[in-house]
Amino acid sequence: MPRGLLRVFANLGWTVYVVAIVTWLLFPLSLILLSSFQGTISITTDVSNLNVSAYEAIPDRYWNSLWFTVQISVVATVTALLVSVPAAWAMVRGKLAERRFLSNVVLLPDVVPHIILGIALLTLYLQIGLARTWLGMLLAMLSLSLAMGLRFTEALLEGLPEEYELAAETMGANKLQALVLILMPLMAPGLATAALFIFISNMVTFELLFFISGPNASPIAVRLFSDIIDRGIMPHSVAMASIMIYISIAFYVIVALTLGPKYLAGSTVSRKG
Amino acid sequence: MSPEQARPVRLANLHKRFGGFVALENLSLDIEAGEFLTFLGPSGCGKTTTLKIVAGLLTQESGEIYFGERRIDTLPPSRRNIGLVFQNYALFPHMTVRENIAFGLRMRRWPAARQAERVEEMLALVRLQGMGNRKPEQLSGGQQQRVAVARALAFSPDLVLLDEPLSNLDAKLREEVRLDLRNIQRQSHQTTVFVTHDQIEALVMSDRIVLMNSGRIEQIGSPQMLYDEPATEFAARFVGANNLVPARLEVVNGEAAARTGSDVHVRLNTVVPGLADGADIWMCVRPENIHIITGEGSSDGSGATVLDMIFQGTTVLVDLESDGLGSLRAEVPARHVAGIAAGQRVGLTFAAAHAVPRS
Ligand SMILES: Nc1ncnc2c1ncn2[C@@H]1O[C@H](COP(=O)(O)OP(=O)(O)OP(=O)(O)O)[C@@H](O)[C@H]1O
Ligand SMILES: [Mg+2]
């Protein structure tokens, strides 16, 4: 077979492969989005009667839960990154002897099923009065955010040569100035990307929060789950799920527009000279 | 900084270990104000380690560093007033050229107007006028290198340290920037320590060369001194090409000569001080100091057979098997090789020979 033809087939093969993966990834999402505009929960491809009745039917308790979730997700994300940067700096640059140990401890929350962690937290929270409270939910979410934040910032700093800080120091900058004037701006794109991923994962945190949530402190994922268990899937549940997709996409677009698309290509790309 | 203000720099007994490995062994050195000093030595001999200790990025086990009378090794890097140029330049990628150069001034809280004035001065010095608003990534390697130099000079440091700043450049650019850097230093009279493992670079640029080997100083001297009168076997082999022949020193009526095992006798022009009659020596002859004589009645030195000839452009390398001195390499101007061919018998004379101790 001539080489040109071979290349055409190879390209075709790759195209089919990529399209298949993308379809596989997006198929369920598009189904949800489509059915949210059909006002029913039956899965059809009928597009003749699109409407927003499902969105209008979303009850107030859903909106409250969504607002609650956005709030604690944002606070947990920001707090986690603020705490992670100095901690990662100490771990990476300070050449802490405990470094290895710490890096691995950070992985531990992920080796236990979150639902088990949730039960453990409930036992603790019941004793100290944090169960079913805003603060209790935030602290629980923060533990997951911190684990992610530390991993992100550690990787970011690893990818950033120490010479930049050292150069700043030899020119008269103290450690704080080096951190604020050199490190933070260089890490900013990576931190924004990290914030995006942490925020989105916070928005859908479910298992950890399931047991410790209550009527006044109920993240949207838990709320949806409980409602579906109680009454089955309602069109407005699907509409709410769609809204979560919109929020994630909006957040992604904002970060992408601010940074330019190349920083989002890899999740923890750092900025080098 | 004018040369009057500049202060000499003194390194006293610097000692550094990494675990059990001794990286610097009681290194002492006086650097004169305004001089261009080069640390030359093979990879791993401790050049970077020394620079880092002087800049405060690494701590020594013992020893002191002085600027004039003032001891500075107790200060943090930010208070030593040293300009450091890293091998990869480490220009801040998120700042413009201008902001990079102004960084040290900003840290010293210079008024904005003076900062701007100084930055322009530095841009002119390194011939980058009009490029102040570019980002480092918009500059070529040679331009980045000059920004790094300007940034290190801008705040009038007491000492500028350059760690192999040319090693990232291609050969042709390296030659250009080499002379540039030398000229910039001549204009600024900035006390400068330059690190390289490239001996040509060291010979071309330096007022003095510090030749290092395994954490110790092997020899200190002018480029000419290091080239013509190396003090040790290491120096003789490391700086420039050389032929080393084992021999014994003979001193007769104040005249020094080398006598080899096969009883060939060569007059020595220079001998490392302290060598006495009968001492074991290496006779060192530079390739360009070996003259090849063809034709009859020509041999006041020894005879040799031509093994191979390597054309290099302006010169030709001639590999020889000499009758009493083993294999030698001569470097002959290309226009003088007519009549020499591989396999031929020739006579040799030595224009200059030098002796270093042999242990
Ligand atoms: N952090 C370290 N830990 C252990 N050994 C080190 C460390 N830094 C340097 N060394 C060792 O100290 C010696 C001197 O290193 P140094 O970096 O000063 O060499 P150099 O002269 O700059 O060489 P090069 O020309 O390759 O840059 C080397 O043998 C090196 O392996
Ligand atoms: Mg080095």
Side-chain angles (χ1 to χ4, degrees):
Chain A
M1 197 183 293
R3 291 190 62 168
L5 206 58
L6 202 65
R7 191 168 311 133
V8 169
F9 273 109
N11 280 341
L12 200 69
W14 278 113
T15 312
V16 169
Y17 182 64
V18 170
V19 167
I21 290 181
V22 171
T23 313
W24 177 255
L25 285 173
L26 294 185
F27 181 63
L29 289 183
S30 10
L31 269 188
I32 289 175
L33 290 180
L34 181 62
S35 77
S36 77
F37 288 104
Q38 289 171 329
T40 73
I41 52 157
S42 58
I43 301 217
T44 66
T45 51
D46 176 16
V47 290
S48 59
N49 188 22
L50 297 183
N51 61 76
V52 292
S53 60
Y55 290 86
E56 286 164 354
I58 294 173
D60 277 352
R61 59 177 199 284
Y62 274 25
W63 289 117
N64 291 341
S65 281
L66 181 66
W67 176 230
F68 169 78
T69 313
V70 170
Q71 277 180 317
I72 59 170
S73 296
V74 168
V75 174
T77 304
V78 172
T79 313
L81 286 178
L82 286 179
V83 174
S84 296
V85 172
W89 187 80
M91 278 157 68
V92 177
R93 294 293 193 249
K95 288 149 190 122
L96 281 186
E98 302 79 4
R99 159 93 191 276
R100 274 245 128 94
F101 178 70
L102 266 178
S103 299
N104 289 316
V105 162
V106 161
L107 296 174
L108 278 183
D110 282 349
V111 302
V112 179
H114 287 176
I115 195 110
I116 307 288
L117 287 180
I119 294 171
L121 266 185
L122 179 65
T123 325
L124 174 70
Y125 276 13
L126 283 175
Q127 288 177 30
I128 57 177
L130 276 177
R132 308 197 168 88
T133 63
W134 196 92
L135 183 64
M137 305 291 278
L138 174 69
L139 290 178
M141 186 179 272
L142 187 56
S143 71
L144 295 187
S145 307
L146 259 180
M148 279 180 82
L150 268 174
R151 263 181 273 163
F152 266 111
T153 46
E154 205 187 333
L156 270 173
L157 274 172
E158 291 275 15
L160 207 61
E162 193 179 11
E163 266 93 40
Y164 293 131
E165 293 148 71
L166 297 181
E169 280 184 55
T170 61
M171 284 186 281
N174 58 35
K175 299 261 181 218
L176 186 65
Q177 285 169 318
L179 184 74
V180 173
L181 297 175
I182 307 299
L183 263 189
M184 291 299 273
L186 290 178
M187 287 175 74
L191 287 179
T193 314
L196 173 72
F197 283 96
I198 298 173
F199 173 78
I200 290 175
S201 118
N202 282 349
M203 284 291 291
V204 299
T205 304
F206 172 77
E207 295 99 318
L208 181 67
L209 303 182
F210 181 69
F211 287 109
I212 55 173
S213 62
N216 297 320
S218 179
I220 187 66
V222 175
R223 174 77 75 192
L224 282 171
F225 178 78
S226 312
D227 268 20
I228 289 167
I229 293 293
D230 287 353
R231 319 159 207 214
I233 298 180
M234 307 286 284
H236 60 249
S237 312
V238 178
M240 183 41 81
S242 303
I243 286 176
M244 293 180 70
I245 298 177
Y246 305 146
I247 291 176
S248 298
I249 292 177
F251 205 84
Y252 188 92
V253 168
I254 290 171
V255 173
L257 286 181
T258 323
L259 296 180
K262 72 173 174 183
Y263 287 110
L264 288 177
S267 53
T268 62
V269 204
S270 67
R271 190 166 169 179
K272 293 191 191 175
Chain B
M1 174 174 287
S2 68
E4 298 82 53
Q5 288 169 284
R7 291 178 291 175
V9 178
R10 188 152 64 89
L11 315 185
N13 294 309
L14 291 181
H15 200 80
K16 176 69 188 174
R17 268 182 312 172
F18 293 110
F21 175 79
V22 179
L24 288 186
E25 199 178 334
N26 290 316
L27 184 129
S28 294
L29 176 65
D30 281 296
I31 304 171
E32 286 163 29
E35 92 170 312
F36 194 119
L37 186 85
T38 297
F39 284 176
L40 173 67
S43 188
C45 70
K47 306 181 295 289
T48 300
T49 303
T50 312
L51 284 205
K52 282 189 170 165
I53 290 174
V54 174
L57 305 179
L58 209 60
T59 331
Q60 70 276 30
E61 257 76 50
S62 60
E64 294 120 48
I65 304 166
Y66 296 90
F67 286 174
E69 296 302 309
R70 180 158 168 256
R71 181 165 174 193
I72 60 119
D73 59 289
T74 47
L75 303 172
S78 55
R79 308 239 341 263
R80 294 193 181 189
N81 204 32
I82 288 175
L84 181 56
V85 176
F86 290 85
Q87 184 167 350
N88 55 5
Y89 315 143
L91 297 176
F92 304 136
H94 60 301
M95 295 187 187
T96 62
V97 167
R98 185 166 279 123
E99 289 166 336
N100 264 285
I101 298 177
F103 190 84
L105 311 176
R106 193 170 147 203
M107 293 301 104
R108 285 167 177 72
R109 300 184 191 288
W110 284 29
R114 264 186 76 206
Q115 282 190 31
E117 200 179 309
R118 180 67 170 169
V119 169
E120 287 312 314
E121 239 176 82
M122 298 317 297
L123 284 172
L125 181 70
V126 298
R127 298 189 290 112
L128 286 176
Q129 294 105 320
M131 303 218 179
N133 291 328
R134 295 213 193 165
K135 288 281 180 65
E137 64 190 4
Q138 297 169 306
L139 299 176
S140 72
Q143 292 167 335
Q144 290 182 11
Q145 196 270 344
R146 298 212 294 271
V147 174
V149 171
R151 185 174 77 169
L153 289 174
F155 54 91
S156 303
D158 284 304
L159 179 64
V160 170
L161 307 173
L162 304 119
D163 194 356
E164 309 214 23
L166 308 185
S167 58
N168 280 342
L169 308 178
D170 66 58
K172 192 159 157 26
L173 190 58
R174 191 152 58 215
E175 271 177 42
E176 258 175 62
V177 175
R178 201 188 267 167
L179 297 175
D180 257 9
L181 206 56
R182 183 71 182 103
N183 290 335
I184 292 170
Q185 197 271 340
R186 287 228 169 101
Q187 283 176 52
S188 61
H189 299 290
Q190 176 70 60
T191 313
T192 302
V193 173
F194 179 89
V195 161
T196 182
H197 57 243
D198 180 336
Q199 32 117 0
I200 306 284
E201 222 163 84
L203 293 174
V204 169
M205 299 178 72
S206 327
D207 291 323
R208 285 196 304 161
I209 296 174
V210 175
L211 183 64
M212 289 183 68
N213 182 23
S214 318
R216 284 175 292 106
I217 293 180
E218 197 81 17
Q219 188 174 3
I220 305 178
S222 67
Q224 184 89 50
M225 179 78 181
L226 248 80
Y227 192 79
D228 289 342
E229 296 181 44
T232 62
E233 178 189 349
F234 175 83
R237 289 188 192 277
F238 193 80
V239 181
N242 223 336
N243 294 290
L244 268 67
V245 180
R248 190 176 294 274
L249 183 65
E250 275 187 3
V251 185
V252 182
N253 302 330
E255 289 270 317
R259 177 177 294 281
T260 68
S262 48
D263 260 359
V264 178
H265 212 78
V266 180
R267 200 179 74 80
L268 292 167
N269 302 66
T270 46
V271 175
V272 170
L275 282 175
D277 188 31
D280 286 335
I281 56 165
W282 290 104
M283 178 184 83
C284 313
V285 186
R286 298 276 179 202
E288 68 271 21
N289 289 332
I290 299 182
H291 293 177
I292 296 178
I293 302 152
T294 51
E296 294 309 311
S298 55
S299 176
D300 62 359
S302 68
T305 307
V306 176
L307 297 180
D308 196 6
M309 297 178 56
I310 304 152
F311 182 66
Q312 284 199 312
T314 51
T315 62
V316 176
L317 300 181
V318 183
D319 283 338
L320 303 152
E321 183 60 38
S322 83
D323 297 344
L325 302 173
S327 45
L328 297 174
R329 170 170 282 184
E331 188 172 4
V332 184
R335 59 183 190 280
H336 289 174
V337 292
I340 306 178
Q344 191 179 338
R345 288 287 304 167
V346 293
L348 304 177
T349 60
F350 302 123
H354 172 71
V356 300
R358 174 167 61 98
S359 50

mmCIF file of all heavy atoms in Angstrom, chain B residues 44 47-49 87 163-164 195, ligand 2:
data_model
loop_
_atom_site.group_PDB
_atom_site.id
_atom_site.type_symbol
_atom_site.label_atom_id
_atom_site.label_comp_id
_atom_site.label_asym_id
_atom_site.label_seq_id
_atom_site.Cartn_x
_atom_site.Cartn_y
_atom_site.Cartn_z
ATOM 1 N N GLY B 44 32.996 19.798 38.553
ATOM 2 C CA GLY B 44 32.986 19.201 39.876
ATOM 3 C C GLY B 44 34.123 19.643 40.784
ATOM 4 O O GLY B 44 34.288 19.112 41.879
ATOM 5 N N LYS B 47 33.711 25.140 41.722
ATOM 6 C CA LYS B 47 33.562 26.536 41.302
ATOM 7 C C LYS B 47 32.198 27.095 41.736
ATOM 8 O O LYS B 47 32.121 28.139 42.385
ATOM 9 C CB LYS B 47 33.692 26.641 39.767
ATOM 10 C CG LYS B 47 34.975 26.028 39.223
ATOM 11 C CD LYS B 47 35.083 26.168 37.713
ATOM 12 C CE LYS B 47 34.033 25.395 36.921
ATOM 13 N NZ LYS B 47 34.211 23.934 36.928
ATOM 14 N N THR B 48 31.135 26.396 41.362
ATOM 15 C CA THR B 48 29.801 26.858 41.729
ATOM 16 C C THR B 48 29.636 26.892 43.241
ATOM 17 O O THR B 48 29.055 27.822 43.792
ATOM 18 C CB THR B 48 28.730 25.950 41.091
ATOM 19 O OG1 THR B 48 28.883 26.000 39.673
ATOM 20 C CG2 THR B 48 27.342 26.392 41.463
ATOM 21 N N THR B 49 30.158 25.872 43.897
ATOM 22 C CA THR B 49 30.079 25.833 45.355
ATOM 23 C C THR B 49 30.686 27.098 45.952
ATOM 24 O O THR B 49 30.104 27.715 46.854
ATOM 25 C CB THR B 49 30.810 24.585 45.889
ATOM 26 O OG1 THR B 49 30.228 23.435 45.275
ATOM 27 C CG2 THR B 49 30.705 24.480 47.385
ATOM 28 N N GLN B 87 23.642 30.621 35.562
ATOM 29 C CA GLN B 87 23.952 29.961 34.292
ATOM 30 C C GLN B 87 22.771 30.028 33.317
ATOM 31 O O GLN B 87 22.946 30.222 32.137
ATOM 32 C CB GLN B 87 24.346 28.515 34.563
ATOM 33 C CG GLN B 87 24.767 27.774 33.317
ATOM 34 C CD GLN B 87 25.453 26.465 33.635
ATOM 35 O OE1 GLN B 87 25.784 26.187 34.773
ATOM 36 N NE2 GLN B 87 25.676 25.668 32.625
ATOM 37 N N ASP B 163 28.225 32.692 36.850
ATOM 38 C CA ASP B 163 28.455 31.249 36.825
ATOM 39 C C ASP B 163 28.246 30.703 35.412
ATOM 40 O O ASP B 163 27.112 30.513 34.987
ATOM 41 C CB ASP B 163 27.521 30.545 37.806
ATOM 42 C CG ASP B 163 27.957 29.105 38.051
ATOM 43 O OD1 ASP B 163 28.926 28.655 37.392
ATOM 44 O OD2 ASP B 163 27.334 28.439 38.887
ATOM 45 N N GLU B 164 29.305 30.477 34.697
ATOM 46 C CA GLU B 164 29.250 29.946 33.326
ATOM 47 C C GLU B 164 28.154 30.602 32.507
ATOM 48 O O GLU B 164 27.303 29.911 31.947
ATOM 49 C CB GLU B 164 29.033 28.424 33.361
ATOM 50 C CG GLU B 164 30.012 27.741 34.277
ATOM 51 C CD GLU B 164 30.407 26.367 33.780
ATOM 52 O OE1 GLU B 164 30.285 26.119 32.568
ATOM 53 O OE2 GLU B 164 30.879 25.566 34.588
ATOM 54 N N VAL B 195 33.057 32.341 36.271
ATOM 55 C CA VAL B 195 33.328 30.913 36.386
ATOM 56 C C VAL B 195 33.229 30.250 35.022
ATOM 57 O O VAL B 195 32.298 30.517 34.266
ATOM 58 C CB VAL B 195 32.332 30.244 37.351
ATOM 59 C CG1 VAL B 195 32.300 28.753 37.132
ATOM 60 C CG2 VAL B 195 32.697 30.560 38.784
HETATM 61 MG MG MG C 2 29.135 24.772 38.270
#
